[in-house]
Amino acid sequence: MDDLGFFRELFTGLNRGLLMSIMLIIPSALGGLVIGITAGALRAFGNAAVVRIGDGYAALFRGTPLVVQLFVLYFGLPNVGIYLSPYWAAVTAFVLCSGAYQSEYVRGALLSIKRNQYLGAQALGFTRLQTIFWVIIPQAMRRALPGCGNEIIYLIKYSSLAYIVTFMELTGEGKTIATEYFRFTEVFLVIGFYYLILVSVAKIILRKTEKALEVPGFGSA
Amino acid sequence: MSRSEPILKVENITKSFGTAHILKGVDLELPKGGIKILIGPSGGGKSTLLQCLNCLVTPDSGTIWFNGSVVDIQKSKELYAFRQQVGMIFQDFNLFDHLTALDNIIIALCKVKKKNKQQAKERAMVELEQVGLSDKGHLYPAELSGGQKQRVAIARALAMDPKVLLLDEPTSALDPELVGEVVAVIRSLAQKGMTMIMATHQISLIRNLADEILFMKDGLIAEQGTPRELLGAGVCTLSQGFCDKLNEITGEEI
């Protein structure tokens, strides 16, 4: 039975790819958040030089296609003697790209906190750092969460670009099988379904986080 | 008038924003236990003066003495320590929106006064009790009425054991029927001998609480004196005229 062999190979391949995708997505999402929060905070509160560097970073990585960033990291860097494995090239590109977008959400959220929250804290004797850490960030975090979650959902999908630097994740595995059997429609429908499941799981986790942090009358709900 | 060494004294405070000269050299002495009330038209500099007193707005020039010694506002450590001892109540409360009423008080005690969580909680409960909100500690600011928010803000300020309380129109953002509960709390503070300086349009507070009324206009103190001197029968002062106008609006007797 031709079909049976096809489906066996398809699901074995896709499951292997799924695992690779997850190994790509989780560190990229976390790294992107860390970079995004750091860059966002520096862009919101840093001095003029720091703000300019932060803005430049965001402009560069939001302004160029991710494919170009991947190519430069994987095919370009060897020219200057830096060799990244397909996996690390992909993770680096995703972290930097995702971080640039995250920094935008974080910066916006930090700047949206009203001046009276600073005044209230300062009048009590909070230092500037204490104010930012205990009053501004906890509030900004809640404001930024929907945007940051959205970016993670994007990341799950653009992680499929890793296959063009030869990292065999979900899409890469699928494409190989599709080419081998010349059955593109079925294969890509199934791949789409896999991503749908990944995104749904991420959405549930994000919802739960938002619920856990929910404060009456504050930001999203 | 001067019963003792002033606890807070400022000299020649000036402040400009761009080309707008908001404060043009204000002197002020606040004796321990004294209550001074700032009145005057909007834009006269009352809020800015209050915010200069604890340097939420940095004055362009002038000197601040607290408890007999000059506060060096350039040294942030000294400034933070000074602010801890000068409580401030704002027109729009400035409670931390992400924390419950109780946690609003606890966080200041824990982070600024470095108390442990248990001590902070006990103290916060005492202060909430004082303002009659011991059953509302678990509610977030968005779940409280304006009057309740302002009482939480007062409890939060008092928990820091301030030597002086600055009140910037504490009842102006409240619905008329909620003013009374906040006024009652402020009155009881006055009875306990809290040193206060307050900007307000609340006639009952001006008339009954003030040791001294300061009428501010165009960045200067235009008139100062006891309520009797400025608002007594038959006197013709700026303050009297101003309070008459407030009366026309509120219909309150003075």
Coordinates of all heavy atoms in Angstrom, one line a residue, chain A residues 117-203:
Chain A
Q117 N 1.8 57.8 38.7 CA 2.3 56.6 39.4 C 3.7 56.8 39.8 O 4.2 56.4 40.9 CB 2.3 55.4 38.4 CG 0.9 55.0 38.0 CD 0.0 54.4 39.1 OE1 0.4 53.5 39.8 NE2 -1.1 55.1 39.4
Y118 N 4.5 57.6 39.0 CA 5.9 58.0 39.4 C 5.8 58.9 40.6 O 6.5 58.8 41.6 CB 6.6 58.7 38.3 CG 6.9 57.8 37.1 CD1 6.0 57.7 36.1 CD2 8.2 57.2 37.0 CE1 6.4 56.9 35.0 CE2 8.5 56.4 35.9 CZ 7.6 56.3 34.9 OH 7.9 55.5 33.8
L119 N 4.9 59.9 40.5 CA 4.8 60.9 41.6 C 4.4 60.2 42.9 O 5.0 60.5 44.0 CB 3.7 62.0 41.3 CG 4.1 62.9 40.2 CD1 3.0 63.9 39.9 CD2 5.4 63.7 40.5
G120 N 3.4 59.3 42.9 CA 3.0 58.6 44.1 C 4.2 57.9 44.7 O 4.3 58.0 46.0
A121 N 5.0 57.2 43.9 CA 6.1 56.5 44.5 C 7.2 57.4 45.0 O 7.7 57.2 46.1 CB 6.7 55.6 43.4
Q122 N 7.5 58.4 44.2 CA 8.6 59.3 44.6 C 8.2 60.1 45.9 O 9.1 60.2 46.8 CB 8.8 60.4 43.5 CG 9.6 59.8 42.4 CD 9.7 60.9 41.3 OE1 8.8 61.5 40.9 NE2 10.9 61.0 40.7
A123 N 6.9 60.4 46.1 CA 6.5 61.2 47.3 C 6.7 60.3 48.5 O 6.9 60.8 49.6 CB 5.1 61.6 47.1
L124 N 6.6 59.0 48.3 CA 6.8 58.1 49.5 C 8.3 57.8 49.8 O 8.6 57.1 50.7 CB 6.1 56.7 49.2 CG 4.6 56.8 49.2 CD1 4.0 55.5 48.5 CD2 4.0 56.9 50.6
G125 N 9.2 58.3 48.9 CA 10.6 58.1 49.1 C 11.2 57.0 48.3 O 12.3 56.6 48.6
F126 N 10.5 56.4 47.3 CA 11.0 55.4 46.5 C 12.2 56.0 45.7 O 12.1 57.2 45.2 CB 10.0 54.9 45.4 CG 9.0 53.9 45.9 CD1 8.1 54.2 46.9 CD2 9.1 52.6 45.5 CE1 7.2 53.3 47.3 CE2 8.2 51.6 46.0 CZ 7.2 52.0 46.9
T127 N 13.3 55.3 45.5 CA 14.3 55.7 44.6 C 13.8 55.5 43.1 O 12.8 54.9 42.9 CB 15.6 55.0 44.7 OG1 15.4 53.6 44.3 CG2 16.1 55.0 46.2
R128 N 14.5 56.1 42.2 CA 14.1 56.0 40.8 C 14.1 54.5 40.4 O 13.2 54.0 39.7 CB 15.1 56.7 39.9 CG 14.7 56.8 38.5 CD 15.7 57.7 37.7 NE 15.8 57.3 36.3 CZ 15.0 57.6 35.3 NH1 13.9 58.3 35.6 NH2 15.2 57.2 34.1
L129 N 15.1 53.8 40.8 CA 15.2 52.3 40.4 C 14.1 51.5 41.1 O 13.4 50.7 40.5 CB 16.5 51.8 40.8 CG 17.2 50.8 39.9 CD1 17.3 51.4 38.5 CD2 18.5 50.3 40.4
Q130 N 13.8 51.8 42.4 CA 12.7 51.2 43.1 C 11.4 51.5 42.4 O 10.5 50.6 42.2 CB 12.6 51.6 44.5 CG 13.7 51.0 45.4 CD 13.6 51.6 46.8 OE1 13.3 52.7 47.0 NE2 13.9 50.8 47.8
T131 N 11.2 52.7 42.0 CA 9.9 53.1 41.3 C 9.8 52.3 40.0 O 8.7 51.7 39.8 CB 10.0 54.6 40.9 OG1 10.3 55.3 42.1 CG2 8.6 55.0 40.4
I132 N 10.8 52.2 39.2 CA 10.7 51.5 38.0 C 10.5 50.0 38.2 O 9.6 49.4 37.6 CB 12.0 51.7 37.1 CG1 12.0 53.2 36.6 CG2 12.1 50.7 35.9 CD1 13.3 53.5 35.9
F133 N 11.2 49.5 39.2 CA 11.1 48.0 39.4 C 9.8 47.6 40.1 O 9.3 46.6 39.7 CB 12.3 47.6 40.3 CG 12.7 46.2 40.2 CD1 13.4 45.8 39.0 CD2 12.4 45.3 41.1 CE1 13.8 44.5 38.8 CE2 12.7 43.9 40.9 CZ 13.4 43.6 39.8
W134 N 9.3 48.3 41.1 CA 8.2 47.9 41.8 C 6.9 48.5 41.4 O 5.8 47.9 41.7 CB 8.4 48.2 43.3 CG 9.6 47.4 43.9 CD1 10.8 48.0 44.3 CD2 9.7 46.0 44.1 NE1 11.6 47.0 44.7 CE2 11.0 45.8 44.6 CE3 8.8 45.0 43.9 CZ2 11.4 44.5 44.9 CZ3 9.2 43.7 44.2 CH2 10.5 43.5 44.7
V135 N 6.9 49.6 40.7 CA 5.7 50.2 40.3 C 5.5 50.2 38.8 O 4.4 49.7 38.3 CB 5.6 51.7 40.8 CG1 4.3 52.3 40.4 CG2 5.7 51.7 42.3
I136 N 6.5 50.6 38.0 CA 6.3 50.8 36.6 C 6.3 49.5 35.9 O 5.4 49.2 35.1 CB 7.4 51.8 36.0 CG1 7.4 53.1 36.8 CG2 7.2 52.0 34.5 CD1 6.0 53.8 36.9
I137 N 7.3 48.6 36.1 CA 7.4 47.4 35.4 C 6.2 46.4 35.7 O 5.7 45.9 34.7 CB 8.8 46.7 35.7 CG1 9.9 47.5 35.0 CG2 8.8 45.2 35.2 CD1 11.3 46.9 35.1
P138 N 5.8 46.3 36.9 CA 4.7 45.4 37.1 C 3.4 45.8 36.3 O 2.6 45.0 35.9 CB 4.4 45.4 38.6 CG 5.7 45.9 39.2 CD 6.3 46.7 38.2
Q139 N 3.3 47.1 36.2 CA 2.1 47.6 35.4 C 2.3 47.5 33.9 O 1.5 47.1 33.2 CB 1.8 49.1 35.8 CG 1.5 49.3 37.3 CD 1.0 50.7 37.6 OE1 0.7 51.5 36.7 NE2 0.9 51.0 38.8
A140 N 3.5 47.8 33.5 CA 3.9 47.8 32.1 C 3.8 46.4 31.6 O 3.3 46.1 30.5 CB 5.2 48.4 31.8
M141 N 4.2 45.4 32.4 CA 4.2 44.0 32.0 C 2.8 43.6 31.6 O 2.6 42.9 30.6 CB 4.6 43.2 33.3 CG 5.0 41.8 33.1 SD 5.7 41.2 34.7 CE 4.2 41.1 35.7
R142 N 1.8 44.0 32.4 CA 0.4 43.7 32.1 C 0.0 44.3 30.8 O -0.8 43.7 30.0 CB -0.5 44.1 33.2 CG -0.2 43.2 34.5 CD -1.0 43.7 35.7 NE -1.0 42.8 36.8 CZ -0.1 42.7 37.7 NH1 0.9 43.6 37.7 NH2 -0.2 41.8 38.7
R143 N 0.4 45.5 30.6 CA 0.0 46.2 29.3 C 0.7 45.6 28.1 O 0.1 45.5 27.0 CB 0.5 47.7 29.4 CG -0.2 48.5 30.4 CD -1.2 49.5 29.7 NE -2.1 50.1 30.6 CZ -1.8 51.2 31.3 NH1 -0.7 51.9 31.0 NH2 -2.7 51.7 32.2
A144 N 2.0 45.1 28.3 CA 2.7 44.6 27.2 C 2.3 43.2 26.8 O 2.6 42.7 25.7 CB 4.2 44.7 27.5
L145 N 1.8 42.5 27.8 CA 1.6 41.0 27.6 C 0.8 40.6 26.3 O 1.3 39.7 25.6 CB 0.9 40.4 28.8 CG 1.0 39.0 29.0 CD1 2.5 38.6 29.1 CD2 0.3 38.5 30.2
P146 N -0.3 41.3 26.0 CA -1.0 40.8 24.8 C -0.1 41.0 23.5 O -0.1 40.1 22.7 CB -2.2 41.8 24.7 CG -2.4 42.2 26.1 CD -1.1 42.3 26.7
G147 N 0.6 42.1 23.4 CA 1.5 42.3 22.3 C 2.6 41.3 22.2 O 2.9 40.8 21.2
C148 N 3.2 41.1 23.4 CA 4.4 40.2 23.4 C 3.9 38.8 23.1 O 4.6 38.0 22.4 CB 5.0 40.2 24.8 SG 5.9 41.7 25.2
G149 N 2.7 38.4 23.5 CA 2.2 37.1 23.2 C 1.9 37.0 21.7 O 2.2 35.9 21.1
N150 N 1.4 38.0 21.1 CA 1.2 38.1 19.7 C 2.5 37.8 18.9 O 2.5 37.0 18.0 CB 0.6 39.4 19.3 CG 0.0 39.5 18.0 OD1 -0.5 38.5 17.5 ND2 0.2 40.6 17.3
E151 N 3.6 38.4 19.4 CA 4.9 38.3 18.8 C 5.4 36.8 18.9 O 5.9 36.3 17.9 CB 5.9 39.2 19.4 CG 7.3 39.1 19.0 CD 7.5 39.1 17.5 OE1 6.7 39.8 16.8 OE2 8.5 38.5 17.0
I152 N 5.1 36.2 20.0 CA 5.5 34.8 20.2 C 4.7 33.9 19.2 O 5.3 33.0 18.6 CB 5.3 34.3 21.6 CG1 6.4 35.0 22.5 CG2 5.4 32.8 21.8 CD1 6.2 34.8 24.0
I153 N 3.5 34.2 19.0 CA 2.7 33.5 18.0 C 3.2 33.6 16.6 O 3.3 32.7 15.8 CB 1.2 33.9 18.1 CG1 0.6 33.2 19.4 CG2 0.4 33.4 16.9 CD1 -0.7 33.7 19.8
Y154 N 3.6 34.9 16.3 CA 4.3 35.1 15.0 C 5.6 34.2 14.9 O 5.8 33.6 13.9 CB 4.7 36.5 14.8 CG 3.7 37.4 14.1 CD1 3.3 38.6 14.7 CD2 3.2 37.1 12.9 CE1 2.4 39.4 14.1 CE2 2.3 37.9 12.3 CZ 1.9 39.0 12.9 OH 1.0 39.8 12.3
L155 N 6.3 34.2 16.0 CA 7.6 33.5 16.0 C 7.4 32.0 15.7 O 8.2 31.4 15.0 CB 8.3 33.7 17.4 CG 9.5 32.8 17.7 CD1 10.7 33.1 16.8 CD2 9.9 32.9 19.2
I156 N 6.4 31.5 16.3 CA 6.1 30.0 16.1 C 6.0 29.8 14.6 O 6.5 28.8 14.0 CB 4.8 29.6 16.8 CG1 5.0 29.6 18.3 CG2 4.3 28.2 16.3 CD1 3.7 29.4 19.1
K157 N 5.3 30.7 13.9 CA 5.2 30.5 12.4 C 6.4 30.8 11.6 O 6.8 30.1 10.7 CB 3.9 31.3 12.0 CG 2.7 30.6 12.5 CD 1.4 31.3 12.1 CE 1.4 32.7 12.8 NZ 0.2 33.5 12.3
Y158 N 7.1 31.9 12.0 CA 8.3 32.2 11.2 C 9.5 31.3 11.5 O 10.5 31.4 10.8 CB 8.6 33.7 11.1 CG 9.0 34.5 12.3 CD1 10.1 34.2 13.0 CD2 8.2 35.6 12.7 CE1 10.5 35.0 14.1 CE2 8.6 36.4 13.8 CZ 9.8 36.1 14.5 OH 10.1 36.8 15.6
S159 N 9.3 30.5 12.6 CA 10.4 29.5 12.8 C 10.5 28.6 11.6 O 11.6 27.9 11.5 CB 10.1 28.8 14.1 OG 9.1 27.8 13.9
S160 N 9.5 28.5 10.8 CA 9.6 27.6 9.6 C 10.7 28.0 8.6 O 11.1 27.2 7.8 CB 8.2 27.6 8.9 OG 7.9 28.9 8.4
L161 N 11.1 29.3 8.7 CA 12.1 29.8 7.8 C 13.5 29.1 8.1 O 14.4 29.2 7.3 CB 12.3 31.3 7.9 CG 11.2 32.1 7.3 CD1 11.4 33.6 7.5 CD2 11.1 31.8 5.8
A162 N 13.6 28.4 9.3 CA 14.9 27.8 9.6 C 15.3 26.8 8.6 O 16.5 26.5 8.4 CB 14.8 27.2 11.0
Y163 N 14.3 26.2 7.8 CA 14.7 25.2 6.9 C 15.5 25.7 5.7 O 16.2 25.0 5.1 CB 13.4 24.4 6.4 CG 12.8 25.0 5.2 CD1 13.1 24.5 3.9 CD2 11.8 25.9 5.2 CE1 12.5 25.0 2.8 CE2 11.2 26.4 4.1 CZ 11.6 26.0 2.8 OH 11.0 26.4 1.7
I164 N 15.4 27.0 5.5 CA 16.2 27.5 4.3 C 17.7 27.7 4.7 O 18.5 27.9 3.8 CB 15.6 28.8 3.7 CG1 15.7 30.0 4.7 CG2 14.3 28.6 3.1 CD1 15.2 31.3 4.1
V165 N 18.0 27.6 6.0 CA 19.4 27.5 6.3 C 19.7 26.0 6.7 O 20.6 25.7 7.5 CB 19.9 28.5 7.4 CG1 19.9 29.9 6.9 CG2 19.1 28.3 8.7
T166 N 18.9 25.1 6.1 CA 19.1 23.7 6.2 C 18.9 23.0 7.5 O 19.3 21.9 7.8 CB 20.6 23.2 5.7 OG1 21.5 23.5 6.8 CG2 21.0 23.9 4.4
F167 N 18.2 23.8 8.4 CA 17.8 23.2 9.7 C 16.5 22.4 9.5 O 15.5 23.0 9.1 CB 17.7 24.2 10.8 CG 17.4 23.6 12.1 CD1 18.4 22.9 12.8 CD2 16.2 23.6 12.7 CE1 18.2 22.3 14.1 CE2 15.9 23.0 13.9 CZ 16.9 22.4 14.6
M168 N 16.5 21.1 9.8 CA 15.4 20.3 9.4 C 14.3 20.3 10.6 O 14.3 19.4 11.4 CB 15.8 18.8 9.2 CG 16.6 18.7 7.8 SD 15.6 19.4 6.4 CE 14.6 17.9 6.1
E169 N 13.5 21.3 10.5 CA 12.4 21.4 11.5 C 11.1 21.0 10.7 O 11.2 20.4 9.6 CB 12.3 22.8 12.1 CG 12.5 24.0 11.2 CD 11.4 24.1 10.2 OE1 10.3 24.5 10.6 OE2 11.7 23.7 9.1
L170 N 10.0 21.3 11.3 CA 8.7 20.8 10.8 C 8.6 21.0 9.3 O 8.3 20.1 8.5 CB 7.6 21.5 11.6 CG 6.2 21.1 11.5 CD1 6.1 19.6 11.7 CD2 5.3 21.8 12.5
T171 N 8.7 22.3 8.9 CA 8.5 22.6 7.4 C 9.5 21.9 6.5 O 9.2 21.4 5.5 CB 8.5 24.1 7.2 OG1 7.7 24.7 8.2 CG2 8.0 24.5 5.8
G172 N 10.8 21.9 7.0 CA 11.8 21.2 6.2 C 11.6 19.8 6.0 O 11.7 19.2 4.9
E173 N 11.2 19.1 7.1 CA 10.9 17.6 7.0 C 9.8 17.4 6.0 O 9.8 16.5 5.2 CB 10.5 17.1 8.4 CG 11.6 17.0 9.4 CD 12.6 15.9 9.2 OE1 12.3 15.1 8.3 OE2 13.5 15.7 10.0
G174 N 8.7 18.3 6.2 CA 7.5 18.1 5.3 C 7.9 18.3 3.9 O 7.4 17.5 3.0
K175 N 8.7 19.3 3.6 CA 9.0 19.6 2.2 C 9.7 18.5 1.6 O 9.5 18.2 0.4 CB 9.8 20.9 2.2 CG 10.0 21.4 0.8 CD 10.4 22.9 0.7 CE 10.7 23.3 -0.7 NZ 12.0 22.9 -1.2
T176 N 10.7 17.9 2.3 CA 11.4 16.8 1.8 C 10.5 15.6 1.4 O 10.6 15.1 0.3 CB 12.4 16.2 2.9 OG1 13.1 17.4 3.4 CG2 13.4 15.2 2.3
I177 N 9.5 15.3 2.3 CA 8.6 14.2 2.0 C 7.7 14.6 0.8 O 7.4 13.8 -0.1 CB 7.8 13.9 3.2 CG1 8.7 13.4 4.3 CG2 6.8 12.8 2.9 CD1 8.2 13.5 5.7
A178 N 7.2 15.9 0.8 CA 6.4 16.3 -0.3 C 7.0 16.2 -1.6 O 6.4 15.7 -2.6 CB 5.9 17.7 0.0
T179 N 8.3 16.5 -1.7 CA 9.1 16.5 -2.9 C 9.2 15.0 -3.3 O 9.1 14.7 -4.5 CB 10.4 17.1 -2.7 OG1 10.3 18.4 -2.0 CG2 11.1 17.4 -4.1
E180 N 9.6 14.2 -2.3 CA 9.8 12.8 -2.6 C 8.6 12.1 -3.2 O 8.7 11.3 -4.2 CB 10.2 12.1 -1.3 CG 10.7 10.7 -1.4 CD 11.0 10.1 0.0 OE1 11.5 10.9 0.9 OE2 10.7 8.9 0.2
Y181 N 7.4 12.4 -2.6 CA 6.2 11.7 -3.1 C 5.4 12.6 -4.1 O 4.4 12.1 -4.6 CB 5.3 11.4 -1.9 CG 5.8 10.2 -1.1 CD1 6.7 10.4 -0.1 CD2 5.4 8.9 -1.3 CE1 7.2 9.4 0.7 CE2 5.8 7.8 -0.6 CZ 6.8 8.1 0.4 OH 7.2 7.0 1.2
F182 N 5.8 13.8 -4.2 CA 5.1 14.8 -5.1 C 3.7 14.9 -4.6 O 2.7 14.9 -5.4 CB 5.2 14.4 -6.5 CG 5.1 15.6 -7.4 CD1 6.2 16.5 -7.5 CD2 4.0 15.9 -8.1 CE1 6.2 17.6 -8.3 CE2 3.9 17.1 -8.9 CZ 5.0 17.9 -9.0
R183 N 3.5 15.0 -3.3 CA 2.1 15.1 -2.8 C 2.1 16.4 -1.9 O 2.0 16.3 -0.6 CB 1.7 13.9 -2.0 CG 1.5 12.7 -2.9 CD 1.3 11.4 -2.2 NE -0.1 11.4 -1.7 CZ -0.6 10.2 -1.3 NH1 0.0 9.1 -1.3 NH2 -1.9 10.2 -0.8
F184 N 2.2 17.6 -2.5 CA 2.3 18.8 -1.8 C 1.1 19.2 -1.0 O 1.2 19.6 0.2 CB 2.7 20.0 -2.7 CG 4.1 19.9 -3.2 CD1 4.5 19.1 -4.3 CD2 5.1 20.5 -2.5 CE1 5.8 19.0 -4.7 CE2 6.5 20.4 -2.9 CZ 6.8 19.6 -4.0
T185 N -0.1 19.0 -1.6 CA -1.3 19.5 -0.9 C -1.5 18.8 0.4 O -1.6 19.5 1.5 CB -2.5 19.2 -1.8 OG1 -2.2 19.7 -3.1 CG2 -3.8 19.9 -1.3
E186 N -1.5 17.5 0.4 CA -1.7 16.8 1.7 C -0.7 17.1 2.7 O -1.0 17.5 3.9 CB -1.7 15.2 1.5 CG -2.8 14.6 0.7 CD -2.3 14.1 -0.6 OE1 -1.6 14.9 -1.3 OE2 -2.6 12.9 -0.9
V187 N 0.6 17.1 2.3 CA 1.7 17.4 3.2 C 1.6 18.8 3.9 O 1.6 18.9 5.1 CB 3.1 17.2 2.5 CG1 4.2 17.7 3.5 CG2 3.3 15.8 2.1
F188 N 1.4 19.8 3.0 CA 1.3 21.1 3.6 C 0.1 21.4 4.4 O 0.1 22.2 5.4 CB 1.6 22.2 2.5 CG 3.1 22.3 2.3 CD1 3.7 21.6 1.3 CD2 3.8 23.2 3.1 CE1 5.1 21.7 1.1 CE2 5.2 23.3 2.9 CZ 5.8 22.6 1.9
L189 N -1.0 20.7 4.1 CA -2.2 20.8 4.9 C -1.9 20.2 6.3 O -2.3 20.8 7.3 CB -3.4 20.0 4.3 CG -4.2 20.8 3.2 CD1 -5.3 19.9 2.6 CD2 -4.9 22.0 3.9
V190 N -1.2 19.1 6.3 CA -0.9 18.5 7.6 C 0.1 19.4 8.4 O -0.1 19.6 9.6 CB -0.3 17.1 7.5 CG1 0.1 16.5 8.8 CG2 -1.3 16.2 6.8
I191 N 1.0 20.0 7.7 CA 2.0 20.9 8.3 C 1.2 22.1 9.0 O 1.4 22.4 10.1 CB 3.0 21.4 7.3 CG1 4.0 20.3 6.9 CG2 3.9 22.5 8.0 CD1 5.0 20.7 5.8
G192 N 0.3 22.6 8.2 CA -0.5 23.7 8.7 C -1.2 23.3 10.0 O -1.3 24.1 10.9
F193 N -1.8 22.1 10.0 CA -2.5 21.7 11.2 C -1.5 21.6 12.4 O -1.9 21.9 13.5 CB -3.1 20.3 10.8 CG -4.0 19.8 11.9 CD1 -5.2 20.5 12.2 CD2 -3.6 18.7 12.7 CE1 -6.0 20.0 13.2 CE2 -4.5 18.3 13.7 CZ -5.7 18.9 14.0
Y194 N -0.3 21.1 12.1 CA 0.7 21.0 13.2 C 0.9 22.4 13.8 O 1.0 22.6 15.0 CB 2.0 20.5 12.7 CG 2.1 19.0 12.8 CD1 1.3 18.1 12.1 CD2 3.1 18.4 13.6 CE1 1.4 16.7 12.2 CE2 3.3 17.0 13.7 CZ 2.4 16.2 13.0 OH 2.5 14.8 13.1
Y195 N 1.1 23.4 12.9 CA 1.4 24.8 13.4 C 0.1 25.3 14.2 O 0.3 26.0 15.2 CB 1.7 25.7 12.3 CG 3.2 25.6 11.9 CD1 3.5 25.0 10.7 CD2 4.2 26.1 12.7 CE1 4.9 24.8 10.3 CE2 5.5 26.0 12.3 CZ 5.9 25.4 11.2 OH 7.2 25.2 10.8
L196 N -1.0 25.0 13.7 CA -2.3 25.4 14.3 C -2.3 24.9 15.8 O -2.7 25.6 16.7 CB -3.5 24.9 13.6 CG -4.8 25.5 13.9 CD1 -4.8 27.0 13.6 CD2 -5.9 24.8 13.1
I197 N -1.9 23.6 15.9 CA -1.9 23.1 17.3 C -0.8 23.8 18.2 O -1.1 24.2 19.3 CB -1.6 21.6 17.2 CG1 -2.8 20.8 16.6 CG2 -1.3 21.0 18.6 CD1 -2.6 19.4 16.4
L198 N 0.4 24.0 17.6 CA 1.4 24.7 18.4 C 0.9 26.1 18.8 O 1.0 26.5 20.0 CB 2.6 24.9 17.5 CG 3.6 23.8 17.4 CD1 4.8 24.2 16.5 CD2 4.2 23.5 18.8
V199 N 0.3 26.8 17.9 CA -0.2 28.2 18.2 C -1.3 28.1 19.2 O -1.4 28.9 20.2 CB -0.7 28.9 16.9 CG1 -1.5 30.1 17.2 CG2 0.5 29.2 16.0
S200 N -2.2 27.1 19.1 CA -3.3 27.0 20.1 C -2.8 26.7 21.5 O -3.3 27.3 22.5 CB -4.2 25.8 19.7 OG -4.7 26.0 18.4
V201 N -1.7 25.9 21.6 CA -1.1 25.6 22.9 C -0.6 26.9 23.5 O -0.8 27.3 24.6 CB -0.1 24.5 22.8 CG1 0.7 24.4 24.1 CG2 -0.7 23.2 22.5
A202 N 0.2 27.7 22.6 CA 0.8 28.9 23.0 C -0.3 29.9 23.5 O -0.2 30.6 24.5 CB 1.6 29.6 21.9
K203 N -1.5 29.9 22.8 CA -2.5 30.8 23.1 C -3.1 30.5 24.5 O -3.4 31.4 25.3 CB -3.6 30.8 22.1 CG -3.6 32.0 21.2 CD -4.5 31.9 19.9 CE -6.0 31.8 20.2 NZ -6.7 31.6 19.0

